[in-house]
Amino acid sequence: MDILKLVDTQKIIGWRRHLHMHPEVSFKEFETTEYIAQQIAKYPGVEVFRPAKTGLVAVLKGGKPGKTIGLRADIDALPITEEVDLPFASKNPGVMHACGHDCHTAMLLGALDVLHRQKDELKGTVKFIFQHAEEHPPGGALEIVNSGLLDDVEAFYGSHVFVDAPPGEVRAAVGPVTANADVFAINIQGVGTHAALPEKGIDTLLVGTEIVRALHTIIARNVSAFDNAVLTIGTFKAGNAHNIIPDTAEILGTVRTTTQEVREAIVKRINDIVNGICAAYGATAEIDYTYGYDAVNNHGGLCDYFAHIVTAALPHVTIEKLEPMMGGEDFSAYSKIAPALFATIGVGPKEGEFFQAHHPKFCVDEDGLPIGTAIYAAFALHAEQIGSFEKAN
Ligand code: NI
């Protein structure tokens, strides 16, 4: 069966453009959720559950017994003003689908359209997860997972559009494909004084500078060259006049890692460096380290199954290795329930300049959308084969 022939490309593009015109930010996707529910209502027998204020889960039961599969798309947009001149550009000022979640939503609706037509032949149950708030920690995935609605799911699949690859190229890999994405805040307390009497105070600008410099040695000197890690300081604030030595300083940053071991080692090193430097200068510090989304860890057996079904169902699609991306993704929350796989779907332009996700000029080639749709559908249609790849782990 040529699964691409079952995909209704016009419908998918229509959904995608409507969503693109009407973007909503995380946890505020009220009209988006309503629109998705209206489209799903056209498919008799599909049950809809609303486990949170926004986002929904649609359930399609196949005509034959089989596994329960979770297919996930995120639905939220970003607080960005669109700078792309499109007939379907954002109509909501300051909000834009700059990460392609409009494409994800349309592709998952497209998969529901395909699978609904195949439902007599479909083995098992498909749970379509239209997930809110991927862009804003603590994220929407956790709310849906905690609702218990997905407790019986035996395998999850999710994908993200990817402008670094052209339509027809998908990427996947075993192991970590996104990062543990954490945030830290360091508040330093010293003693303020007159700029001409530095010996009377404890200069937090100087202490902060030492900390900023030393934190940058962690990746270079405490993390193996074979591990993936990033530490970035995005904010350093101290002082507000030329003649005052400031009594406080604030440092904000992010840590990205792909393993729990490296994550914990970096947390310990941050504490040691900050406390050690503060002690040396007589300052004190409060360190507030917030664990964000866990890394998405792709399951080996599912990855083999994915390669098998993509090759069989879409002979013109190529599968490349997905290198770990240091961004965060709350798809990781689903792997607490069952094995999960996250892949990328090429939507990059065939030539010319292009912009990455979260850029006001982000733009996709819609030729990739029917492929992403077909893969969602194929993942569910052949799910009875998933067990036979378990041994590959
Ligand atoms: Ni995204």
Side-chain angles (χ1 to χ4, degrees):
M1 173 168 52
D2 185 345
I3 196 146
L4 259 182
K5 287 212 177 97
L6 298 175
V7 172
D8 190 333
T9 302
Q10 287 315 309
K11 265 190 201 162
I12 296 162
I13 289 177
W15 285 321
R16 186 258 159 165
R17 291 183 179 185
H18 175 94
L19 292 160
H20 195 85
M21 256 194 280
H22 303 99
E24 293 174 299
V25 295
S26 309
F27 294 108
K28 304 245 164 75
E29 312 92 331
F30 296 104
E31 284 178 25
T32 305
T33 303
E34 218 42 62
Y35 179 74
I36 296 165
Q38 281 166 15
Q39 302 314 308
I40 295 171
K42 296 174 186 166
Y43 297 89
V46 177
E47 265 189 291
V48 171
F49 298 88
R50 306 250 191 136
K53 287 197 178 100
T54 55
L56 63 84
V57 176
V59 180
L60 172 67
K61 287 199 170 73
K64 296 178 178 169
K67 289 189 188 304
T68 297
I69 297 301
L71 302 177
R72 179 270 204 167
D74 40 15
I75 67 169
D76 53 331
L78 288 155
I80 292 176
T81 300
E82 180 153 19
E83 291 176 19
V84 191
D85 187 17
L86 290 170
F88 53 92
S90 170
K91 289 192 164 176
N92 294 350
V95 187
M96 177 192 176
H97 268 295
C99 199
H101 299 187
D102 50 340
C103 302
H104 306 164
T105 308
M107 292 192 296
L108 191 55
L109 282 170
L112 190 146
D113 179 65
V114 169
L115 294 169
H116 192 265
R117 270 180 274 133
Q118 301 293 310
K119 72 173 187 306
D120 294 342
E121 294 307 309
L122 179 68
K123 299 185 186 95
T125 297
V126 184
K127 298 197 167 178
F128 301 85
I129 307 156
F130 292 92
Q131 185 216 300
H132 58 300
E134 187 280 327
E135 299 284 3
H136 202 297
L142 209 57
E143 282 190 317
I144 299 181
V145 165
N146 289 342
S147 74
L149 261 181
L150 305 175
D151 285 357
D152 58 349
V153 171
E154 292 162 86
F156 289 94
Y157 168 63
S159 59
H160 204 294
V161 293
F162 194 54
V163 287
D164 285 315
E169 184 182 311
V170 304
R171 294 188 188 181
V174 179
V177 292
T178 68
N180 299 308
D182 303 337
V183 175
F184 62 85
I186 300 165
N187 284 293
I188 304 161
Q189 184 66 54
V191 178
T193 180
H194 195 291
L197 297 167
E199 74 280 9
K200 304 286 189 197
I202 295 174
D203 185 350
T204 53
L205 191 150
L206 186 64
V207 177
T209 306
E210 295 275 8
I211 289 173
V212 167
R213 189 203 59 76
L215 291 180
H216 281 96
T217 67
I218 296 177
I219 307 301
R221 287 295 171 268
N222 304 118
V223 177
S224 160
F226 298 99
D227 286 314
N228 302 299
V230 175
L231 184 153
T232 291
I233 292 164
T235 296
F236 175 33
K237 289 182 195 154
N240 54 16
H242 77 278
N243 56 354
I244 302 167
I245 286 179
D247 64 342
T248 62
E250 181 190 54
I251 296 167
L252 302 177
T254 182
V255 174
R256 308 295 171 108
T257 52
T258 54
T259 69
Q260 195 60 25
E261 268 173 299
V262 174
R263 188 186 213 178
E264 294 302 342
I266 291 176
V267 176
K268 180 175 185 310
R269 195 72 193 119
I270 289 174
N271 276 281
D272 289 350
I273 284 174
V274 171
N275 292 329
I277 290 175
C278 283
Y281 284 88
T284 56
E286 263 179 35
I287 305 166
D288 184 8
Y289 192 94
T290 308
Y291 290 84
Y293 297 158
D294 289 337
V296 171
N297 252 299
N298 277 345
H299 183 267
L302 266 193
C303 199
D304 289 347
Y305 165 70
F306 177 80
H308 172 76
I309 57 139
V310 171
T311 311
L314 296 151
H316 301 297
V317 169
T318 56
I319 305 182
E320 300 289 336
K321 184 173 186 289
L322 178 60
E323 298 297 339
M325 299 173 281
M326 299 315 278
E329 224 321 328
D330 71 348
F331 182 75
S332 50
Y334 301 105
S335 57
K336 307 271 186 295
I337 298 176
L341 182 90
F342 194 69
T344 61
I345 306 294
V347 291
K350 291 164 194 92
E351 56 187 24
E353 193 185 24
F354 66 96
F355 298 89
Q356 292 295 331
H358 295 213
H359 190 284
K361 290 185 174 154
F362 175 76
C363 195
V364 306
D365 184 335
E366 289 175 334
D367 284 354
L369 305 191
I371 296 164
T373 304
I375 295 174
Y376 268 134
F379 195 92
L381 273 176
H382 303 285
E384 83 278 1
Q385 295 179 29
I386 287 175
S388 47
F389 291 92
E390 294 292 327
K391 59 185 176 300
N393 244 351

